[in-house]
Amino acid sequence: MLAIVLVMAVVSLSFAAEWLGQRRHDQHEVERLQAHARGLAILAARSFRGGDFERDGLETLLADSAAQLAVSYEIHRFSDFSDGAGESERVAAVGVHAGFTELPPPAAGRASVDESLVDRWNLLIIDEPVITRGDQRVILRLVAEHAPWTRSHDWRETLIVAAGVGLVLLLLGGLLLELQVLRPMRALERSVRQVASGQLDVDAPTDGPRELAELAQTFNDMTASLRHQQIELHSQAERLQRSERLAVIGRLAAGVAHEVGNPLAAIVGYVELLLGGPGGPGSAEDRDLLERLLAQTQRIQAIVGQLLDYSKPARVQAIGFRAGDPIAQVVALLKVDPRCAGVELAVTGAIELELRGDPSLVEQILLNLVINGALAAREVGERAARVELAVLALADRQVAIEVRDSGPGVSAEVRERVFEPFFTTRGAGKGTGLGLAISHGLAESMDGTLECREHAGPGAVFRLSLPSSAG
């Protein structure tokens, strides 16, 4: 349809230009002949100075002019003229149409252009009054063959040329339409289909006209927003699952505390009475058994306490503090801890950075991370055990504290589950799998994040990110 409209437009413009050219040519031709007849009428007026006219001089004048322009002249005189009416007499006729009888009579006393014989005889008649003295009126008639601007074969040639130009423009327009419109539209259509099939990591090409480029850029912004929303929904789903697990563990912990906590407290009290009572155990073997029973019972109490800590929402008192303050407390406390024996504790980075949170909760998270890192670093014997606490400034007004160890690292499969409750990589009896889960919940309660990061070097890297308090 666009091609048809384009060709029709070219042909119509060509014919319109040809028609306007013909109109202008005909008008110019009439004006030229009128000007010539007007000048000749002025010269012919000299032959009518007396009562009659000088026929020989007038005919000579007309013959010379007719020979030069290939036209015919007639002189008409009105014998009786009053109020523009009267009968005319042709007193002179020179030229090829001198004896032509089909000419209409002239109008008395006024100039006129008669085109009534153009279609039939191709003749153009121009009447011009000759200024004379007295009451007589004289008309100079010029009869000329009309010189047309175009003929029938010219219109056919115009049609052929216009059609050829239209086809060339059609090919060029089709090529430009393909390159500038259709190809970008097909690329955008492919991108839309990919997004409709669920592939959000699609970027439509932004080449082509400005309107299509803006549309493609808007489409890319939309897909980027969808990807961001999808990530947010996935994160919210994970938080919802953790909340559901938290609620289940909370109910479980409440039941355990009620059903198990009180009997355990009684058992611990009885064992302590047996160990410290006046009679005491009967033998060293009995004392050893009682001490083991007390240690295992206290371990069960500690596990129940961790369950309660995990199920209870932490009370957060968010204030601004230096990142180095809880780090210094953790390092000073763990230097004498047997679990960190033989492990180098190093502090690097911008410890003067200000962050916002609860210092006691941050200290609890770092204690758990450093102890886990020290235990992992001691498992590798071929290199020195080391745990590093580094402070970093992140984008979006965030401050991060990273705990890096020289241990065996965390695999991708373990990294996905490392913050799940009761998930642990240690052997039986060496961990409950609640430390990182509790730390993760504490970080979220302070509007922060705790993540196990993937890196190229040895060991594991855990990053605690909190909002910055710097103005």
Side-chain angles (χ1 to χ4, degrees), residues 12-311:
S12 300
L13 289 176
S14 301
F15 277 98
E18 189 71 15
W19 180 75
L20 291 175
Q22 181 178 356
R23 289 286 304 272
R24 180 58 181 166
H25 168 76
D26 293 345
Q27 182 181 2
H28 178 72
E29 183 73 9
V30 171
E31 291 175 354
R32 183 182 65 84
L33 293 176
Q34 278 186 312
H36 175 72
R38 193 178 303 114
L40 191 61
I42 294 174
L43 295 178
R46 299 174 183 176
S47 301
F48 292 90
R49 293 177 180 177
D52 202 353
F53 67 95
E54 299 178 2
R55 182 182 297 274
D56 295 338
L58 181 60
E59 290 182 350
T60 302
L61 175 64
L62 297 178
D64 293 341
S65 178
Q68 293 178 1
L69 297 180
V71 296
S72 300
Y73 297 102
E74 295 180 356
I75 299 295
H76 292 263
R77 183 173 60 181
F78 291 85
S79 58
D80 182 16
F81 180 83
S82 61
D83 296 332
E87 295 183 357
S88 64
E89 176 189 4
R90 186 170 63 182
V91 297
V94 176
V96 295
H97 304 97
F100 194 67
T101 58
E102 299 290 337
L103 300 179
R110 61 185 178 86
S112 64
V113 178
D114 189 352
E115 299 180 0
S116 60
L117 299 180
V118 170
D119 295 335
R120 184 178 180 185
W121 303 105
N122 197 31
L123 294 179
L124 185 66
I125 303 173
I126 298 176
D127 292 340
E128 189 69 29
V130 178
I131 301 175
T132 61
R133 296 178 182 179
D135 295 335
Q136 64 177 343
R137 294 291 183 268
V138 179
I139 294 295
L140 171 65
R141 168 165 285 185
L142 185 152
V143 181
E145 291 190 5
H146 177 60
W149 172 259
T150 57
R151 291 179 172 86
S152 59
H153 67 274
D154 296 329
W155 289 102
R156 290 194 298 270
E157 292 177 357
T158 301
L159 176 60
I160 294 174
V161 173
V165 174
L167 290 177
V168 172
L169 293 178
L170 175 62
L171 294 176
L172 293 178
L175 180 61
L176 292 177
L177 184 66
E178 170 67 23
L179 295 178
Q180 296 293 320
V181 179
L182 298 182
R183 186 174 297 178
M185 285 294 293
R186 284 196 294 268
L188 184 59
E189 181 183 3
R190 287 193 298 269
S191 301
V192 171
R193 289 180 178 176
Q194 290 176 345
V195 171
S197 64
Q199 303 178 21
L200 297 181
D201 53 342
V202 177
D203 287 331
T206 56
D207 52 356
R210 180 175 59 86
E211 293 79 4
L212 290 179
E214 292 178 354
L215 178 61
Q217 185 61 45
T218 304
F219 175 81
N220 293 337
D221 295 341
M222 179 193 70
T223 54
S225 177
L226 290 176
R227 289 195 298 269
H228 178 71
Q229 293 178 7
Q230 188 180 51
I231 295 173
E232 288 293 328
L233 289 175
H234 183 68
S235 177
Q236 291 177 4
E238 290 182 347
R239 289 196 292 269
L240 180 60
Q241 291 176 0
R242 285 196 296 269
S243 299
E244 292 177 352
R245 289 195 297 267
L246 178 63
V248 172
I249 294 174
R251 291 191 294 268
L252 175 63
V256 169
H258 177 70
E259 300 294 339
V260 179
N262 292 333
L264 286 178
I267 293 173
V268 170
Y270 293 149
V271 173
E272 288 178 346
L273 287 176
L274 291 174
L275 289 173
S283 63
E285 183 179 357
D286 293 339
R287 173 175 290 275
D288 182 62
L289 290 175
L290 289 174
E291 289 177 351
R292 291 184 182 183
L293 175 62
L294 178 62
Q296 295 301 321
T297 306
Q298 290 175 342
R299 183 171 180 272
I300 295 175
Q301 282 186 320
I303 294 174
V304 173
Q306 286 183 349
L307 286 173
L308 292 174
D309 291 338
Y310 184 73
S311 62

Side-chain angles (χ1 to χ4, degrees), residues 345-417:
L345 301 179
V347 180
T348 61
I351 60 175
E352 71 279 357
L353 290 177
E354 299 281 339
L355 48 84
R356 185 170 183 79
D358 192 325
S360 62
L361 299 183
V362 173
E363 183 176 341
Q364 181 178 348
I365 295 173
L366 295 180
L367 277 171
N368 189 20
L369 295 179
V370 173
I371 291 174
N372 288 345
L375 293 176
R378 293 172 61 180
E379 295 179 2
V380 181
E382 59 267 16
R383 55 177 177 265
R386 173 184 170 87
V387 175
E388 177 184 352
L389 291 90
V391 182
L392 308 172
L394 304 179
D396 299 330
R397 299 177 56 82
Q398 295 281 319
V399 177
I401 302 176
E402 287 190 351
V403 178
R404 311 163 183 169
D405 62 67
S406 59
V410 180
S411 63
E413 294 78 8
V414 174
R415 193 181 303 116
E416 295 179 356
R417 303 183 56 194

Side-chain angles (χ1 to χ4, degrees), residues 299 302-303 306 420-424 426-427 429-435:
R299 183 171 180 272
I303 294 174
Q306 286 183 349
E420 293 182 3
F422 303 110
F423 177 80
T424 180
R426 298 180 188 174
K430 296 183 179 180
T432 61
L434 289 173

